[in-house]
Amino acid sequence: MDLPGEDEDFTVCYLCNEQYQDPRILSCIHTFCMKCLLKLQSSPDHFNRPTFPCPRCSCDVKIPKDGIETMPQNRFIEKLTELKRMLKPELTEQVCGACVEQKSDEMSPVENYCVDCSQMLCNECTRHHKQTKASKYHEILGLTEATGNIPKLMKSLGKRRCEAHRGNALDLYCTDCHVELCAKCYIESHQQHKWMELKQCAEGFRKELRDLVFSIESCEDDIKNRRLQLDSEKLDLVEEAKNMQEDIKAAKQETQQAVDKHTDQLISDINSHKTTRSNAIVEFYGKFDINLNLLSNFKTYCKELIQNGSSSDVCTFINDIKTRSDELVHLSELTVEQSLTSFKMDLRLGRNEFHEGFNFVGRLQDKNSADCDSESNEARIKRLAEEIDQLTQELQKERTLRMSREEQLGAYVQHAETLTSQLKQEQAKTVSQAEKIVDLKMTSQRENREWSAKEAQLKKESNELKTRLQQTDRTNNDLKKRVETVKAKVAELQRTVETLNSDNEEHEERKTQLMNDHEKETIELIGKINAMQTDMDLLKTLASGKVSRKPNGLSIDYENDVSKHSVIRSVEQTTEQLMIKGLTILGNELYIAFESKSTVEVWNLETMQFRRRWRLQEMKDPIDMTSCSVTNCLYLVANTCMKRGIYVIARVDIRGALLKQWSIEDTFGNLSSTEEGNVLLAVAKDPAVKEYSKDGILLRTIELSWNFGFANLHHAIKLSANHFLVSHGAGDDCLHRVCIVDGTGEVLKSYGREWNRDDLDCPSHAIRDSAGNILVTDTLNGCIIALKSNLKLISPLATFSDRRFKAKKDWTFRPRKICLDESRSRLFVAETVIQRHLSSLTFEMLSVFTLKSSLKRKI
């Protein structure tokens, strides 16, 4: 049998003799391809059996409950195979990973390897890789250098991430549970356990593995020495048998006539014993070869794991390796301790013992047995008596053991009766719980019927409000007719006055009096019309369920001109041009977040001075930021620092301390807070509005159908319990608009006509003031528009309209984010300014505008 060498290729499967594909490790630490294990299980010898023998060591391997497909993956062998496949051009075609990602037509030859990205690079892509800000500190090796640094590359590839908390590094190890942990795993479920740093723990396990390898080498040396000893014994046996045959032949010649028959029998017995012992020695050879094979294979695997395995690999397999090591050491000790029973030939014979039928040559017996010829009859009788006493004692022990087993059987029967009783109790509890579930279902159905009745009542009230609205419209039309009649009378009176101007002063006084009376009547009618118009707007708001409950006070007059107050130059923008991604107000402070930064600037609204800046380590490249006065905190949606393309929502306090964070996978969008203290996420990828509680619990999702024209969703605001304002549209979309939708996503009202970009062109952000008015950034038109609560246009803010006219000549303004300081009548606008004739000349600006305010009429 060929023994494996220490240079065995651990990337080749023993069964198929090919590179591993989906390697799975067994309990005996041997690894095979998944397809090879499936083929082995489906064979007639192992089909539908709970275990199967390992193809290499014949150990019984238990099949997992969920099938052989759930056997643990050997990630160490998988990474070693993949790395070998990448670094050896004869195994796979080497191509530049960056060229493939850029879909380049020309593929340059691969010259280098990036350890941090695990990617092959050509010389040109290597140069760009070192110049890029995100990768300029990566470690890059030449192919020759990388091939000689397999252990280093394996350890860099072995860095795993926590599956329960995506993006967190597994840098801790629980010594009680024998599992790897991230910081959040430790806080949530392992605070009372003992733990160590993963690298420190792995070093300790590596030391234990080295000790195991040393003990395996010692066992291997013992077996090799024992094998050499067997070789010597075999030679001695042949020599001894040869000498015995010569002695027997000599005795035969002396007593040829008396012992011919006995001599032939002895020679036959000796040959038989020689054959038996030779066969036994051959059998021992087979056992020694198998044990040497197992020990050598196990030793080589442990050395590979010590040299090339990552901390995660060492910690994953250390317990299985310890168990297997103990089994191999025990098996080796048993094999070495086994020995063969030898024999000797006794040729001692006295001359006085010659008689017919006597054994003249000798007899064959074991070395370890006593000399029967020298034993007296008394000694034999004594020995037989001792054996009888011994058998009697063993019989008594058997009786005692049988009684003990009967007692254990009685205990088992009693335990089975106890378990049966407990099972009956559990069944009774299950029946009781099922009855409770049925009661809950009936209660839920009754509540659903009650809610249906309430919904019908609300629909009835809504219809009544619509009827009142129609009556108000008819009254309004009547008033308009009366106004027209009054205007006609005024015109007639004016003509009469002109006729009477040629008369005396008395006619002049009469004319003045008539003019004053009719002017007074006209003013009263116009006042009534305005009041009716206000009541009609109020009824419409009531019909849609969106009545502002803000306190009365000063309101902003959006129809008046706005004046530019100042421009804020943030601290971050003093060194580089950064796009403002988040802009919000909480209390007496303004908060600003920037692209590709984990810092947030805080400004004082009274002095308009920079106050402080804090950093949120978990945040990278924020998308949007909003504030909540109910919970007195900030919400940010950003790309996580752990993994690119995975987004989270973070709730932080005003000092930047993280209060709560939850993952939203690969979805992202802008945020807004609700009056209940929740947060809304406008999902841009698949149009939908998601409402989360402050603890990250998804309360509901409102799907916005493409059939209603929703595409490229920008922002969402909660107006009432079941009504939301959303803005959408970008690029070549047919609809760029602001809509009011209900809880099912159905459009109730909208502003923005189809294929008409003059109304709106990319409405990227929206806010609502205390009076219920809506401000929307009309980004590509370069202005901000003001809408009433019923989405009727108030007017574009004058300053922005003027700037949009100016933008057609020299500059283009793109307002993207806005927030309103209503107590000071100030509007903050984050915008991008572009020079039309030199598109590369672009800068970011945070402008502050002063709005005019007036007293709100008490409703």
Side-chain angles (χ1 to χ4, degrees):
M1 179 181 294
D2 294 334
L3 297 179
E6 295 190 1
D7 57 347
E8 179 180 353
D9 190 353
F10 270 83
T11 63
V12 175
C13 177
Y14 175 78
L15 292 177
C16 63
N17 201 27
E18 296 179 355
Q19 292 285 326
Y20 278 112
Q21 295 181 6
D22 191 11
R24 302 301 176 101
I25 187 168
L26 308 185
S27 57
C28 58
I29 316 300
H30 288 138
T31 302
F32 304 96
C33 297
M34 187 67 238
K35 62 176 184 179
C36 296
L37 292 177
L38 290 173
K39 185 176 179 181
L40 179 66
Q41 186 195 21
S42 61
S43 63
D45 295 337
H46 311 113
F47 186 70
N48 273 347
R49 291 191 178 180
T51 61
F52 67 92
C54 173
R56 296 208 67 169
C57 64
S58 301
C59 288
D60 281 341
V61 179
K62 186 177 181 180
I63 299 176
K65 182 179 179 181
D66 297 331
I68 199 170
E69 295 84 357
T70 59
M71 283 276 187
Q73 289 182 319
N74 194 334
R75 301 189 182 276
F76 167 65
I77 293 295
E78 187 176 18
K79 289 180 290 186
L80 188 64
T81 304
E82 183 63 24
L83 193 60
K84 182 177 179 181
R85 187 181 292 114
M86 284 194 304
L87 296 179
K88 290 192 176 182
E90 65 272 10
L91 298 180
T92 182
E93 182 182 359
Q94 293 182 341
V95 295
C96 175
C99 291
V100 172
E101 291 176 358
Q102 298 173 3
K103 298 181 179 179
S104 177
D105 295 335
E106 297 182 0
M107 295 292 179
S108 302
V110 173
E111 300 291 343
N112 302 298
Y113 180 81
C114 178
V115 177
D116 297 270
C117 299
S118 302
Q119 191 178 51
M120 306 292 247
L121 300 172
C122 63
N123 285 333
E124 183 65 20
C125 292
T126 301
R127 185 175 61 82
H128 290 296
H129 208 66
K130 291 181 178 180
Q131 293 175 352
T132 304
K133 182 177 180 181
S135 59
K136 66 180 181 179
Y137 296 112
H138 288 190
E139 184 175 2
I140 297 177
L141 303 175
L143 280 186
T144 305
E145 186 181 1
T147 306
N149 281 274
I150 296 295
K152 183 176 183 179
L153 297 179
M154 284 291 296
K155 291 177 182 178
S156 68
L157 289 174
K159 298 177 182 177
R160 293 173 56 197
R161 301 291 180 180
C162 181
E163 296 180 358
H165 307 95
R166 291 199 169 182
N168 290 358
L170 294 171
D171 49 10
L172 303 177
Y173 184 79
C174 179
T175 56
D176 292 340
C177 303
H178 304 292
V179 294
E180 302 168 62
L181 307 173
C182 69
K184 285 193 175 181
C185 291
Y186 171 75
I187 293 172
E188 291 177 359
S189 56
H190 295 268
Q191 288 192 14
Q192 306 301 325
H193 297 179
K194 296 180 181 179
W195 61 275
M196 296 176 65
E197 289 188 3
L198 188 65
K199 290 184 178 179
Q200 181 182 0
C201 187
E203 287 301 322
F205 288 150
R206 280 193 172 94
K207 185 177 179 181
E208 292 185 19
L209 285 175
R210 292 188 184 96
D211 295 338
L212 289 176
V213 171
F214 179 78
S215 63
I216 294 297
E217 289 176 344
S218 177
C219 293
E220 189 178 16
D221 292 339
D222 290 341
I223 291 179
K224 288 180 178 179
N225 293 333
R226 180 56 179 157
R227 181 174 179 174
L228 293 175
Q229 185 179 355
L230 278 178
D231 292 337
S232 177
E233 289 182 6
K234 181 180 178 181
L235 295 175
D236 293 341
L237 174 63
V238 174
E239 185 66 25
E240 185 178 1
K242 182 178 180 181
N243 294 334
M244 287 180 180
Q245 289 178 5
E246 292 177 354
D247 293 340
I248 291 171
K249 288 179 180 180
K252 177 183 176 182
Q253 290 176 0
E254 294 177 0
T255 57
Q256 184 67 40
Q257 296 178 354
V259 295
D260 278 343
K261 184 176 181 180
H262 188 60
T263 300
D264 294 338
Q265 182 64 38
L266 283 176
I267 292 174
S268 176
D269 292 342
I270 290 173
N271 290 331
S272 176
H273 279 280
K274 183 182 73 172
T275 302
T276 302
R277 291 199 61 191
S278 297
N279 293 336
I281 291 174
V282 171
E283 183 178 351
F284 270 99
Y285 278 158
K287 292 181 180 180
F288 292 157
D289 289 340
I290 291 174
N291 288 336
L292 283 175
N293 187 354
L294 296 178
L295 292 172
S296 178
N297 193 331
F298 186 78
K299 179 189 71 175
T300 307
Y301 182 85
C302 292
K303 286 183 177 180
E304 285 289 331
L305 189 59
I306 292 170
Q307 295 176 0
N308 301 329
S310 64
S311 300
S312 175
D313 296 328
V314 174
C315 295
T316 300
F317 301 119
I318 183 63
N319 291 328
D320 295 336
I321 290 177
K322 287 180 179 179
T323 302
R324 183 57 177 166
S325 174
D326 295 337
E327 294 175 358
L328 292 177
V329 171
H330 180 66
L331 182 61
S332 301
E333 291 174 352
L334 291 178
T335 304
V336 173
E337 291 174 358
Q338 291 182 358
S339 61
L340 296 174
T341 303
S342 58
F343 65 93
K344 67 178 182 178
M345 175 65 68
D346 187 5
L347 297 177
R348 291 176 298 174
L349 184 62
R351 294 175 178 264
N352 57 351
E353 295 177 351
F354 280 84
H355 56 81
E356 186 177 357
F358 184 74
N359 184 356
F360 291 98
V361 180
R363 64 172 58 87
L364 194 65
Q365 65 180 24
D366 294 337
K367 288 183 179 180
N368 299 328
S369 62
D371 190 359
C372 297
D373 292 337
S374 62
E375 185 178 26
S376 63
N377 292 332
E378 294 179 357
R380 291 179 182 177
I381 294 172
K382 184 178 180 181
R383 181 170 53 81
L384 290 174
E386 292 176 354
E387 291 178 357
I388 292 172
D389 292 338
Q390 185 177 358
L391 289 174
T392 304
Q393 293 176 2
E394 291 179 357
L395 182 61
Q396 186 65 30
K397 290 182 181 179
E398 285 291 335
R399 289 176 180 175
T400 305
L401 181 62
R402 183 179 299 173
M403 293 177 64
S404 175
R405 289 179 178 175
E406 289 177 355
E407 292 176 357
Q408 290 179 358
L409 181 61
Y412 289 154
V413 171
Q414 185 179 0
H415 182 61
E417 293 175 352
T418 304
L419 290 178
T420 304
S421 176
Q422 292 178 355
L423 180 60
K424 290 181 179 179
Q425 294 177 1
E426 290 293 333
Q427 289 177 348
K429 289 181 181 179
T430 304
V431 172
S432 176
Q433 291 178 355
E435 292 175 353
K436 290 181 181 178
I437 292 173
V438 172
D439 293 340
L440 288 174
K441 287 185 177 179
M442 295 178 65
T443 304
S444 176
Q445 292 175 357
R446 185 171 59 255
E447 291 178 352
N448 288 336
R449 288 193 295 270
E450 292 176 358
W451 279 110
S452 300
K454 290 181 180 179
E455 185 178 0
Q457 182 66 24
L458 288 174
K459 288 183 178 179
K460 183 178 179 181
E461 292 177 359
S462 177
N463 293 331
E464 292 177 357
L465 287 173
K466 289 180 180 178
T467 304
R468 290 179 60 188
L469 182 62
Q470 293 174 358
Q471 293 175 355
T472 305
D473 289 337
R474 288 195 293 271
T475 304
N476 189 25
N477 293 332
D478 294 340
L479 288 174
K480 288 181 179 179
K481 291 179 181 179
R482 291 181 62 187
V483 169
E484 295 296 331
T485 304
V486 170
K487 287 182 179 179
K489 289 182 178 180
V490 170
E492 184 179 354
L493 286 174
Q494 286 178 349
R495 289 192 297 272
T496 304
V497 169
E498 289 176 357
T499 305
L500 294 175
N501 279 338
S502 57
D503 297 338
N504 53 23
E505 295 178 356
E506 185 178 348
H507 292 145
E508 184 69 26
E509 292 176 358
R510 179 63 179 168
K511 178 190 75 171
T512 304
Q513 184 179 359
L514 289 173
M515 288 289 293
N516 290 336
D517 292 341
H518 285 286
E519 185 177 357
K520 190 182 217 179
E521 184 179 356
T522 302
I523 293 173
E524 290 178 356
L525 287 174
I526 292 174
K528 289 181 180 180
I529 291 171
N530 291 334
M532 290 297 294
Q533 182 68 35
T534 304
D535 292 338
M536 185 176 65
D537 293 340
L538 178 60
L539 287 174
K540 288 181 179 180
T541 306
L542 286 171
S544 60
K546 301 178 286 297
V547 178
S548 175
R549 294 180 175 84
K550 298 292 182 179
N552 294 318
L554 288 176
S555 66
I556 298 174
D557 185 4
Y558 296 109
E559 295 182 354
N560 291 321
D561 291 341
V562 298
S563 60
K564 189 171 182 179
H565 179 66
S566 62
V567 174
I568 295 179
R569 187 66 172 173
S570 66
V571 176
E572 292 288 350
Q573 289 179 330
T574 57
T575 57
E576 55 181 324
Q577 284 293 326
L578 296 175
M579 182 179 292
I580 296 176
K581 287 299 189 76
L583 189 66
T584 188
I585 292 175
L586 182 60
N588 196 35
E589 293 178 329
L590 173 68
Y591 295 83
I592 311 172
F594 302 91
E595 66 171 339
S596 303
K597 291 288 184 180
S598 57
T599 57
V600 174
E601 290 187 7
V602 185
W603 289 66
N604 189 297
L605 288 176
E606 290 184 356
T607 62
M608 293 305 295
Q609 298 294 323
F610 173 77
R611 293 193 62 179
R612 64 183 182 277
R613 177 173 57 181
W614 45 262
R615 180 184 298 274
L616 187 61
Q617 297 294 341
E618 294 80 2
M619 181 181 68
K620 179 181 179 182
D621 194 12
I623 304 299
D624 193 22
M625 175 175 62
T626 189
S627 60
C628 179
S629 59
V630 178
T631 56
N632 194 32
C633 66
L634 303 174
Y635 291 96
L636 296 99
V637 57
N639 194 346
T640 178
C641 294
M642 300 302 177
K643 190 174 182 181
R644 189 70 180 174
I646 299 299
Y647 297 88
V648 298
I649 295 179
R651 179 165 65 90
V652 299
D653 62 12
I654 60 176
R655 294 292 178 182
L658 181 64
L659 303 177
K660 184 67 177 179
Q661 176 178 298
W662 62 92
S663 173
I664 55 176
E665 302 298 335
D666 58 347
T667 60
F668 63 90
N670 291 326
L671 300 175
S672 66
S673 61
T674 68
E675 294 180 354
E676 299 87 352
N678 301 327
V679 60
L680 288 185
L681 172 66
V683 181
K685 185 177 180 181
D686 296 321
V689 178
K690 295 187 177 183
E691 184 174 3
Y692 294 91
S693 69
K694 66 178 182 178
D695 296 322
I697 300 174
L698 180 61
L699 302 178
R700 62 173 164 181
T701 300
I702 302 172
E703 301 289 344
L704 302 177
S705 174
W706 295 86
N707 297 329
F708 291 118
F710 286 105
N712 294 305
L713 185 64
H714 295 298
H715 206 198
I717 301 174
K718 188 174 184 179
L719 303 177
S720 65
N722 203 36
H723 293 85
F724 300 84
L725 177 98
V726 297
S727 64
H728 70 92
D732 296 330
D733 296 343
C734 64
L735 280 175
H736 292 240
R737 59 179 178 174
V738 178
C739 309
I740 295 177
V741 300
D742 61 11
T744 63
E746 183 179 355
V747 179
L748 304 178
K749 292 182 177 65
S750 66
Y751 174 80
R753 292 170 292 176
E754 187 173 359
W755 300 113
N756 191 330
R757 301 293 176 80
D758 293 333
D759 290 343
L760 283 175
D761 195 353
C762 189
S764 58
H765 201 248
I767 58 174
R768 184 174 65 154
D769 64 10
S770 60
N773 298 318
I774 309 296
L775 293 180
V776 182
T777 58
D778 190 3
T779 301
L780 296 185
N781 282 332
C783 69
I784 296 175
I785 63 171
L787 303 172
K788 293 183 178 180
S789 60
N790 59 0
L791 300 189
K792 183 178 289 186
L793 178 66
I794 299 176
S795 72
L797 299 188
T799 299
F800 287 86
S801 298
D802 294 343
R803 293 201 305 161
R804 184 173 67 173
F805 177 79
K806 181 180 178 181
K808 294 180 180 179
K809 297 180 180 179
D810 299 319
W811 297 90
T812 300
F813 296 85
R814 297 286 185 259
R816 294 178 295 96
K817 302 281 185 181
I818 54 175
C819 66
L820 183 63
D821 182 8
E822 199 165 355
S823 61
R824 299 174 180 83
S825 299
R826 288 189 298 197
L827 180 66
F828 295 86
V829 182
E831 54 188 345
T832 303
V833 184
I834 305 172
Q835 215 285 338
R836 291 179 60 86
H837 302 295
L838 188 59
S839 59
S840 61
L841 182 56
T842 303
F843 59 91
E844 300 294 321
M845 183 168 64
L846 178 57
S847 304
V848 185
F849 297 91
T850 302
L851 307 173
K852 294 185 178 181
S853 59
S854 61
L855 282 174
K856 291 167 52 178
R857 189 174 68 83
K858 187 174 181 180
I859 300 178

